[in-house]
Amino acid sequence: MEKLTIRTKITLWFSAVLVLIAALAMLSVMVISNSVIQKGVRDSLIEMVEENVDEVEFFGNLHDSDWQDGDDLYLEYQGGYLEIDDDFLNRLNGIYTSLYDWEGNLLYGENPVGREAEEVLFIDAVLQKIRVNGTRYYIYDRALSGDGLEGLWLRGFVTEVQGMTQTIAIARLTLWVIPVIVIFSVLGGYLIAGRFLRPIKQIGEAAESIREGNDLTRRIELGSGTDELHQLANTFDRMFDRLETSFKAEQQFTSDVSHELRTPVTVILSECEYTLEEAGEMEEYKEALEVIERQGRKISNLISELLEFTRLEQNPERFIMEEMNLSALCEEVCDDMEHLMERGITLHREITPEVIVNGNPMLLGRLLTNLVTNACRYGKEEGYILVTLKKEQENVRMFVEDDGIGITEEQQAQIWNRFYQADPSRSGRGAGLGLSMVKSIAALHQGIVTVESIPGEGSIFTFTF
């Protein structure tokens, strides 16, 4: 069973249920049909006997009847004559009707049962049953009334086999009709199951294609549809989109890291080679070591920033959110950053007191530090940086404004990318990861960070959450 395909399993289960339902349906048809037919047989017996009651008359003299003008039957009875009309149904559709006197003697008609029927008492308008040689018979009696008819009985006979004949005919019809329906239903179910499961096959083919050829551009693309399989296929397409995006980002990340490390490593190697081959004075050794130290620190800073960025993206749950005073945090960051301002840049603040939020103090401190550092790096000499914190209804907004070189509209969409630097000449020791980390920290706090900038006039970074 484990080796069968889902399509085959579904068809087998469907077939088993269908066969069970068909068997129950056949049994029900047989039982209900037999019950209905037997009732019909009994009703026909009663109806036939009741009709024959009016077909028997008594005449004391034949001249009182029109015996010469018809096909009626006349029997001598107690000094007169019994007229049995030619409409009298002696036998029809297996139903027998017979005329008896008060002693149980058969006067007219047939007795298909035999002597056993003679032992059955006459009971007016009551349906009786007897079994003879394993066969059940229905008997229905009616007492005749009228002049000269006293003591006469009409008795009807019919066997239940009469109804069984019709039941068997229905059973034969059912025995070949229902199997045909079952066969066509199973075939239809097999085809429909294949059609419904086609998306799963396409999903498997797409996944296999990606596995074998690393083709992350492959999609299932079932088209329009709202059923569960279309939803599943669309989910896989979105997953493939994310995988492709992640893979490209990883490739870009690897390329960027390689590029960032290549320059300082090349400088270090060049200095080492030059010093080993050419330098002879202590001052030259000292200068070479200073270059190596500077480039080594650059590599160290890059590695540290990469580690922090990786922890933030891959393990965000390690950063615990808690209720904190954001105003106090901003004051502390501004106090620390004031001592690091360069080129005559001054740091100002407009911080609304006691702004309480739910967040991670370390990450929010890093967010503000990165924004202020970025503003200082790209600020103009004797310029300013303004840090603003305020609460607006349900939102908290943090602004970092500067009057630096600004950012062009084309660059504004790229500054959030890792390793991107709007002006590499001003990057200093930065690796271009600061704003990428700001964006990730904002997302982790379910907030957004935006920028408004005019080249040559300055920029305003806004964090809202």
Side-chain angles (χ1 to χ4, degrees):
M1 192 70 175
E2 292 78 5
K3 297 181 179 180
L4 299 178
T5 63
I6 295 178
R7 183 181 186 183
T8 304
K9 290 179 181 179
I10 291 175
T11 304
L12 289 176
W13 280 108
F14 171 75
S15 302
V17 173
L18 192 60
V19 169
L20 178 61
I21 294 175
L24 293 175
M26 290 177 62
L27 181 61
S28 300
V29 168
M30 294 290 294
V31 173
I32 295 173
S33 298
N34 184 63
S35 177
V36 171
I37 291 172
Q38 291 297 331
K39 184 178 185 302
V41 168
R42 295 191 296 269
D43 292 343
S44 298
L45 169 64
I46 294 173
E47 182 181 359
M48 186 170 174
V49 173
E50 293 290 349
E51 288 179 358
N52 285 337
V53 167
D54 297 328
E55 306 300 331
V56 180
E57 294 183 75
F58 177 79
F59 294 96
N61 192 321
L62 285 179
H63 296 289
D64 296 336
S65 66
D66 51 355
W67 61 278
Q68 294 179 337
D69 299 330
D71 296 327
D72 297 343
L73 177 67
Y74 292 87
L75 301 174
E76 291 186 12
Y77 179 71
Q78 294 186 353
Y81 295 90
L82 293 174
E83 179 190 24
I84 300 177
D85 196 273
D86 59 352
D87 293 331
F88 188 95
L89 300 175
N90 181 37
R91 183 171 62 183
L92 179 66
N93 294 331
I95 300 175
Y96 297 83
T97 305
S98 304
L99 180 63
Y100 288 85
D101 62 14
W102 63 277
E103 293 180 341
N105 298 314
L106 180 62
L107 301 179
Y108 179 73
E110 299 180 43
N111 177 8
V113 178
R115 294 180 57 117
E116 287 81 355
E118 297 176 0
E119 299 176 0
V120 178
L121 299 176
F122 289 98
I123 304 176
D124 188 36
V126 174
L127 186 68
Q128 302 182 77
K129 293 181 288 185
I130 64 170
R131 184 175 295 276
V132 178
N133 297 328
T135 302
R136 178 180 292 178
Y137 288 86
Y138 299 106
I139 297 177
Y140 184 73
D141 301 320
R142 278 305 308 274
L144 300 182
S145 61
D147 294 338
L149 298 178
E150 294 82 358
L152 294 179
W153 290 85
L154 279 182
R155 169 165 281 183
F157 302 88
V158 69
T159 174
E160 67 175 0
V161 176
Q162 183 65 26
M164 290 298 297
T165 303
Q166 300 177 47
T167 303
I168 292 172
I170 293 175
R172 288 175 178 173
L173 179 64
T174 304
L175 283 173
W176 73 265
V177 169
I178 290 185
V180 169
I181 294 175
V182 169
I183 291 173
F184 277 102
S185 298
V186 170
L187 292 176
Y190 183 77
L191 295 176
I192 292 173
R195 183 172 182 179
F196 285 164
L197 295 174
R198 191 179 305 157
I200 297 180
K201 185 178 180 181
Q202 291 180 247
I203 292 172
E205 291 175 350
E208 185 66 19
S209 174
I210 292 173
R211 186 188 71 82
E212 292 181 351
N214 293 325
D215 182 13
L216 289 175
T217 62
R218 175 75 182 272
R219 298 294 181 270
I220 301 169
E221 295 179 349
L222 284 186
S224 59
T226 57
D227 58 62
E228 289 81 356
L229 288 179
H230 278 80
Q231 294 176 11
L232 177 62
N234 293 334
T235 300
F236 269 89
D237 280 340
R238 290 193 296 270
M239 182 188 71
F240 291 147
D241 288 337
R242 185 169 181 180
L243 284 175
E244 182 181 8
T245 302
S246 299
F247 184 71
K248 289 181 177 178
E250 195 66 28
Q251 286 182 320
Q252 184 64 41
F253 180 77
T254 303
S255 175
D256 291 340
V257 170
S258 300
H259 176 75
E260 292 294 326
L261 291 176
R262 184 182 296 113
T263 301
V265 169
T266 301
V267 172
I268 290 174
L269 292 176
S270 298
E271 285 295 324
C272 290
E273 291 175 0
Y274 173 78
T275 304
L276 289 173
E277 294 177 1
E278 303 293 339
E281 300 293 333
M282 182 61 66
E283 189 65 28
E284 292 178 342
Y285 283 112
K286 183 179 179 181
E287 290 177 359
L289 288 175
E290 288 175 351
V291 171
I292 293 172
E293 180 188 22
R294 187 165 56 251
Q295 297 301 323
R297 290 187 182 278
K298 187 174 181 179
I299 294 175
S300 177
N301 292 334
L302 174 60
I303 293 174
S304 297
E305 291 188 25
L306 284 174
L307 286 174
E308 290 184 23
F309 194 83
T310 302
R311 292 193 189 104
L312 179 61
E313 286 198 329
Q314 296 186 354
N315 193 19
E317 61 274 6
R318 68 186 290 267
F319 299 101
I320 300 174
M321 301 296 174
E322 60 186 48
E323 189 175 277
M324 54 169 286
N325 189 329
L326 185 59
S327 301
L329 177 67
C330 290
E331 293 284 0
E332 292 175 6
V333 172
C334 290
D335 289 340
D336 295 337
M337 296 299 294
E338 275 183 334
H339 303 291
L340 301 177
M341 294 295 103
E342 302 172 347
R343 293 176 289 114
I345 298 175
T346 56
L347 178 61
H348 306 276
R349 64 189 85 172
E350 294 179 2
I351 299 174
T352 302
E354 297 302 321
V355 176
I356 307 300
V357 299
N358 188 57
N360 183 274
M362 185 186 73
L363 292 180
L364 291 178
R366 171 52 64 90
L367 180 145
L368 180 56
T369 299
N370 286 2
L371 289 178
V372 173
T373 301
N374 187 75
C376 181
R377 183 174 298 151
Y378 295 97
K380 65 181 182 180
E381 291 188 7
E382 305 300 327
Y384 74 91
I385 299 173
L386 174 61
V387 176
T388 305
L389 177 67
K390 58 183 177 179
K391 189 171 184 180
E392 298 177 350
Q393 297 180 350
E394 297 299 321
N395 293 328
V396 172
R397 293 183 184 273
M398 179 192 298
F399 304 89
V400 177
E401 179 182 352
D402 66 70
D403 59 349
I405 64 174
I407 308 170
T408 65
E409 188 174 348
E410 294 79 11
Q411 292 174 327
Q412 289 178 24
Q414 303 179 53
I415 60 174
W416 310 107
N417 297 334
R418 289 175 290 191
F419 300 108
Y420 180 81
Q421 296 175 349
D423 185 358
S425 64
R426 290 175 172 256
S427 63
R429 292 175 296 175
L433 291 172
L435 293 182
S436 296
M437 188 172 294
V438 166
K439 185 177 180 181
S440 297
I441 293 173
L444 186 62
H445 287 79
Q446 299 180 357
I448 58 173
V449 59
T450 58
V451 62
E452 298 177 14
S453 183
I454 300 176
E457 296 185 13
S459 305
I460 302 176
F461 286 84
T462 306
F463 172 46
T464 306
F465 76 114

